[in-house]
Amino acid sequence: MNALLHSLNRREFLARSGLGLGAAALSSLARGEALKKPHFEPRAKHIIYLHMIGAPSQLDLFDPKPVLMKNDGKQCPTEMIQGKRFAFIDSRSVLGASPYRFNRFGRSGQMFSELVPHMARIADDMCMIHSLRTEEINHAPGQLFLHTGFGSAGRPSLGSWVAYGLGAESKNLPAYVVLQSGVLAGGGAALWSNGFLPGAHQGVQFRSGPDPVFFLSNPRGVSRDDRRRVLDTVRDLNRLQLAETGDPEIETRIEQYELAFRMQTSVPELMDISKEKAETLKMYGAQPGTKGLFANNCLLARRLIERGTRIVELYDSDWDHHADISGRLPAKCKQVDQASAALVKDLKSLGLLDKTLVVWGGEFGRTAMRQGVDESGPVTKPGRDHQKDAFTIWLAGGGVKSGFSYGKTDDFGLNVAEHPVHVHDLNATILHLLGLDHEKLTFRHQGRDFRLTDVHGHVVKDILA
């Protein structure tokens, strides 16, 4: 390395340095560094996105239907499903009411089923959207559409757009972190891809265990000083290449190596939840040392936000209940209900909820018709099919109204009856809360400007505090 550096004469060094500085400046402008400041005053600075992979049944959790109860077991009226797309069921399917009790909670009187008693207790902190709709009817496309605005892989995710638009607050942690519980199916890693944005904006997946980020730890026999010397040498070589080519991805690589080195110290401390107070661990239901636990991930999400991470996404799997929903849905709710509510309460008690937007939901909802049951009777333990035209998500903190319900579905929960909210509208609203105009947050690719909401989307102003 020293020989290579000495081989550059003064004139060549200055020429290359000049090109490098100019190219770096141009690449910074091309990558939209001016967007590191929001377009206007933000209501939120951070997001914690809780995605229930597979799609929870809104009819059994948040959206009771008395008329559906009266028609339980009857044939679904043809006019209700005419022209609709479903993944598996057909016109022979019969209606299935929820077997669970619903009650009103809090001063707001919002409705929750008995399966989510902890969420019910934070009713007055939640903004329920009962009228969300999407374009995709199957899991992978639906998940991709929710997070990237497009039903196929290759586009940047919501988190990548946020990281690109606002940058990182922390020098020791990524702007965009992903946590996972269960076996992730469907969209997979494409859900947190940077797509055509610079690689620095891709989500970084943290895992349970002694090595939460792959290749972060030093190899056996390599000290921290050794690692530093290697990185310094690689950095110098990369800078030479940057000066030669002006490739912005080289600058990204240098930044990522340096971040990884700093993370060697910051990440182990972050991941050690055993130092949390006993009452905090109990509130979440967290278990230090247990791998892949949703409750642990919720607590880690709060710790990441405290340390300046911009967006944290939690993916929890196994919500795809086509069969035996009466057995599987209660079990899943027990795994996530307490920790989801604890996260909101904890953020609120620490004064972080006002600046942190929490989002909870799936890629679509579930049908009012039973799957596995037709007019001849039950053929297996019934479940519910995919439902893209009307479902529920909830938000909390970050500038949305609290104790508020928005939108309404029809008597069978099959169609939006009031205030439809498209996924593009949801994403436009999330960006708005962060101080970003979804029509201005763009990146030029293949000859045109792309954005998260494509050419669609409207901010849902009615839910803003």
Side-chain angles (χ1 to χ4, degrees), residues 408-427:
K408 184 179 179 181
T409 54
D410 62 28
D411 289 336
F412 296 99
L414 288 167
N415 298 283
V416 172
E418 295 178 6
H419 305 308
V421 178
H422 193 276
V423 163
H424 288 314
D425 301 330
L426 173 66
N427 285 335

Side-chain angles (χ1 to χ4, degrees), residues 58-65 102 111 130 392 408-410 413:
Q58 76 284 0
L59 296 171
D60 294 296
L61 301 180
F62 310 117
D63 197 8
K65 296 296 173 187
F102 279 79
M111 298 289 285
H130 293 295
T392 298
K408 184 179 179 181
T409 54
D410 62 28

Side-chain angles (χ1 to χ4, degrees), residues 139-154 187-188 190-191 363:
H139 293 293
Q143 293 157 18
L144 287 165
F145 194 84
L146 182 67
H147 287 278
T148 74
F150 195 67
S152 300
L191 299 179
E363 59 266 29

Side-chain angles (χ1 to χ4, degrees), residues 123-179:
D124 291 335
D125 294 309
M126 296 164 73
C127 177
M128 310 290 297
I129 299 178
H130 293 295
S131 53
L132 196 64
R133 58 189 180 91
T134 185
E135 301 295 327
E136 301 290 347
I137 198 62
N138 287 309
H139 293 293
Q143 293 157 18
L144 287 165
F145 194 84
L146 182 67
H147 287 278
T148 74
F150 195 67
S152 300
R155 298 285 182 91
S157 66
L158 166 67
S160 293
W161 280 112
V162 170
Y164 164 66
L166 295 176
E169 279 193 341
S170 172
K171 293 183 178 180
N172 299 321
L173 290 169
Y176 179 18
V177 172
V178 174
L179 301 168

Side-chain angles (χ1 to χ4, degrees), residues 247-298:
D247 183 356
E249 284 299 316
I250 297 174
E251 191 175 14
T252 295
R253 194 181 309 140
I254 294 171
E255 294 169 359
Q256 293 299 87
Y257 283 156
E258 292 301 316
L259 173 60
F261 185 75
R262 295 192 297 270
M263 284 167 60
Q264 286 190 320
T265 300
S266 62
V267 169
E269 181 275 331
L270 162 77
M271 299 295 286
D272 185 9
I273 63 173
S274 65
K275 294 183 173 60
E276 290 281 344
K277 296 179 181 178
E279 54 265 35
T280 301
L281 295 172
K282 183 178 180 181
M283 179 174 67
Y284 280 89
Q287 300 174 29
T290 303
K291 294 183 179 180
L293 195 65
F294 179 79
N296 289 10
N297 286 347
C298 284

Side-chain angles (χ1 to χ4, degrees), residues 156-400:
S157 66
L158 166 67
S160 293
W161 280 112
V162 170
Y164 164 66
L166 295 176
E169 279 193 341
S170 172
K171 293 183 178 180
N172 299 321
L173 290 169
Y176 179 18
V177 172
V178 174
L179 301 168
Q180 178 184 329
S181 49
V183 179
L184 185 63
L191 299 179
W192 54 88
S193 168
N194 59 293
F196 45 71
L197 292 177
H201 305 308
Q202 179 175 335
V204 178
Q205 187 177 0
F206 282 14
R207 299 164 176 84
S208 302
D211 203 12
V213 180
F214 284 160
F215 311 117
L216 187 64
S217 300
N218 292 326
R220 183 177 299 176
V222 176
S223 70
R224 186 170 173 82
D225 289 341
D226 293 335
R227 178 86 164 219
R228 181 68 266 174
R229 283 194 293 272
V230 169
L231 287 177
D232 288 344
T233 302
V234 171
R235 178 200 60 207
D236 292 341
L237 289 169
N238 277 326
R239 283 178 175 170
L240 285 173
Q241 188 68 15
L242 176 63
E244 186 74 35
T245 66
D247 183 356
E249 284 299 316
I250 297 174
E251 191 175 14
T252 295
R253 194 181 309 140
I254 294 171
E255 294 169 359
Q256 293 299 87
Y257 283 156
E258 292 301 316
L259 173 60
F261 185 75
R262 295 192 297 270
M263 284 167 60
Q264 286 190 320
T265 300
S266 62
V267 169
E269 181 275 331
L270 162 77
M271 299 295 286
D272 185 9
I273 63 173
S274 65
K275 294 183 173 60
E276 290 281 344
K277 296 179 181 178
E279 54 265 35
T280 301
L281 295 172
K282 183 178 180 181
M283 179 174 67
Y284 280 89
Q287 300 174 29
T290 303
K291 294 183 179 180
L293 195 65
F294 179 79
N296 289 10
N297 286 347
C298 284
L299 182 50
L300 285 171
R302 188 219 78 201
R303 290 167 65 87
L304 281 159
I305 291 300
E306 281 182 308
R307 289 159 176 77
T309 295
R310 183 73 67 181
I311 177 166
V312 185
E313 289 181 342
L314 277 64
Y315 291 94
D316 184 72
S317 64
D318 198 27
W319 289 88
D320 190 19
H321 302 150
H322 291 278
D324 192 22
I325 192 169
S326 62
R328 297 172 65 194
L329 181 61
K332 283 305 303 180
C333 289
K334 286 183 179 179
Q335 292 175 16
V336 307
D337 175 45
Q338 178 179 342
S340 298
L343 175 61
V344 174
K345 290 191 291 186
D346 201 13
L347 290 169
K348 187 176 182 180
S349 69
L350 294 170
L352 296 171
L353 187 59
D354 287 346
K355 294 298 182 182
T356 305
L357 178 67
V358 180
V359 184
W360 192 103
E363 59 266 29
F364 38 68
R366 313 302 295 196
T367 58
M369 294 80 77
R370 295 173 183 164
Q371 185 175 353
V373 175
D374 58 30
E375 63 269 17
S376 64
V379 295
T380 185
K381 292 181 179 180
R384 297 188 189 275
D385 198 8
H386 308 167
Q387 157 74 332
K388 72 178 182 65
D389 296 312
F391 61 105
T392 298
I393 66 159
W394 61 259
L395 306 93
V400 297

